[in-house]
Amino acid sequence: MRNVARIVMTVLLMVVLGSGFRWLYLNRDQLMASESALPTVAEVAPLWATTLFDDGGKAYPLAQYQGKPVILNFWATWCEPCREEMPEISALASAHPEIVILGLAIDEASAVHEFIASSPVGYPLLIAENEGMPLAETLGNHKGVLPYTVVISAQGEVTQIFFGRVNREMLQKALNL
């Protein structure tokens, strides 16, 4: 009798888990969509008070980019989709130097330095380390995912956010290019 009860419980557990995974699969686009409420100009304000450094120690006060269109791409060296999107973001940076594109690494400087040595990127990669995820959360990343990309207009308004991998076409559309 105990074995029958175990089998029944196991089957029920498998059905419940299977149903849950099926629901997640069917709703994955909705869960990862960028339809979340966009951060307000007031919520973006702390960004401009931030100074980050590249792997060589050069300071980048983000206030210098106020008044320009900005793409912030939060990434990490261990994140495969992050690395996959970088060539397309680099191509966009080369084609549109009037747009500020910054990669904010949720990583240590040594890991970013190693990455840059093997995979050069056409835009600044800044070390955000521990303050990176709270900054991303302030800018709308309530899901805590990487990569996470934020498009900010010249007026300082967040016009688009992307959870997950982006491509050049998505960014061009977000920037009306």
Side-chain angles (χ1 to χ4, degrees), residues 33-57:
S34 60
E35 297 299 323
S36 299
L38 298 175
T40 65
V41 173
E43 291 170 320
V44 175
L47 171 72
W48 308 123
T50 304
T51 297
L52 297 172
F53 298 85
D54 66 12
D55 73 309

Side-chain angles (χ1 to χ4, degrees), residues 136-174:
E137 288 173 18
T138 300
L139 295 173
N141 189 357
H142 56 85
K143 298 177 184 182
V145 299
L146 291 177
Y148 177 68
T149 306
V150 181
V151 179
I152 303 172
S153 72
Q155 293 74 34
E157 299 171 337
V158 174
T159 59
Q160 185 81 45
I161 58 176
F162 297 98
F163 296 98
R165 190 183 187 291
V166 295
N167 60 43
R168 185 175 177 175
E169 184 179 311
M170 292 166 72
L171 294 173
Q172 287 175 321
K173 186 177 177 184

Side-chain angles (χ1 to χ4, degrees), residues 61-78:
L62 299 186
Q64 69 183 320
Y65 303 118
Q66 269 187 291
K68 299 176 185 176
V70 176
I71 295 175
L72 296 176
N73 177 252
F74 292 86
W75 70 287
T77 59
W78 46 264

Side-chain angles (χ1 to χ4, degrees), residues 110-132:
S110 59
V112 175
H113 183 73
E114 276 183 41
F115 176 82
I116 292 171
S118 64
S119 306
V121 175
Y123 53 94
L125 297 179
L126 308 180
I127 314 302
E129 289 185 312
N130 295 334
E131 72 181 82

Side-chain angles (χ1 to χ4, degrees), residues 71-93:
I71 295 175
L72 296 176
N73 177 252
F74 292 86
W75 70 287
T77 59
W78 46 264
C79 170
E80 185 67 29
C82 299
R83 294 190 313 266
E84 289 173 355
E85 70 186 1
M86 287 181 154
E88 291 192 63
I89 296 173
S90 287
L92 181 68

